[in-house]
Amino acid sequence: MRLCPQCGAALVVSAKFCVECGEQLAQSATSPARAIRSFRVTPSALAIFTGIIAVGMVGIIALAPRTPSDKIATGSAAAPSAGAANNKESLPEGHPKVELPAEARKLIDEIEQTANRKPGDITAWNRLGEVSTRAAMFDSSYYPKALAAYAHALKIDPDNLEALRGVGNVNYDRQRYDQAIAAYEHYLNKKPGDEEVRTDLGTMYLYTGNPDQAVAQYKRVIGAKPDFFAGYFNLGIAYQQMRKSAEAKAALEKAIALAPDDKSRGRARELLAKLSGATAPVNGSTGLASGAPSASGAGSFESAIEQMVRAVPFAGPKVKSVEWTSRSRARVMMKDFPMDQMPPFARAKFLGDLRSGIDGAKTSHNIRGKFELEIADAASGRVMETVSR
């Protein structure tokens, strides 16, 4: 999966803009590191989607295609955007809930009816899969429909590249990483030169705790495309996960040099600063989309905790806010992040990243005594987990 270099949201191929932050995307930017692929929905995205309805089916299919930038890993080790879409992200705080327009639902139903009338038409079923995947950016209930459509296409042709990639992307977005890996590997056996899919495969390895295999994939991508920002950025994250600081720094320095814009460059600089033990600003000249600034300001313990949480692969983009009840307790409000549905390995990795991140922040800011970080569901307020260090 790929992520937006600005905000870390999962993107779609050839996207001209990020559906999460609305930023225009560089045509050559493509990044995997965060395990990117969390689609986020913004008012502008909805307006575009609604407007495209009038143009017809082809326009909808082209909406927010997964792009290179949606392949960037979020920052700390492993991933995982997630969109990552899961990865689907919600609107900015305070904005009215966005729903898929009735016209879009009707059109998708018509596309499905057409496919049902043509059970042997692989193009019709792939079209349904693609449109349903796009719709899932607004309504996650469309993911099963997308997966079923691609599965039908693969019954017609088990080696169909569009369907294989579609299955990989849907499973990437739903955080079903093993299934995504299987689909991507099958795809690459048929089309080994696809750097975007190979980047996504590398990110899936990263998210499943296999950074060595992720490194192998990222290096192969970089070998074919030496100016690939996302490849170097993700490579840096993979090396970080392997605790190879020198290699991670070298990869991130290369990513900084190749960054397509200031925000991408700022994102890489922030991660490099973290590896070097320095403090990088959350907002400001770097242009990083890391959410609301800390109430205590950059450089504080509170800021360090917030930056750490927002940098956790596949989880960071889902952070709605960090609320401090005291200096020794904070609550992270997560959007669309059901921890009880996470695979055991992913849950363990997520909590492990939080523990190590808290330890690092406490050491850097000379904080003694117990600190508790609560992970809560933003919609219900329910505390899903408490990490004490």
Side-chain angles (χ1 to χ4, degrees), residues 31 39 49 63 153 199 203 223 229 245 258 283 314 324 338 351 370:
S31 328
F39 292 106
F49 191 97
L63 172 67
T199 295
T203 298
F229 165 77
S245 298
L258 295 172
N283 293 295
F314 81 79
W324 291 82
L351 295 176
K370 183 178 180 180

Side-chain angles (χ1 to χ4, degrees), residues 257-281:
L258 295 172
D261 50 52
D262 290 340
K263 290 187 177 181
S264 301
R265 188 173 300 107
R267 186 182 179 86
R269 281 176 173 167
E270 182 184 32
L271 182 55
L272 179 60
K274 182 177 179 181
L275 286 173
S276 303
T279 300

Side-chain angles (χ1 to χ4, degrees), residues 290-309:
S290 52
S294 167
S296 300
S300 67
F301 173 66
E302 290 85 349
S303 176
I305 289 295
E306 293 190 28
Q307 289 186 51
M308 178 276 293
V309 171

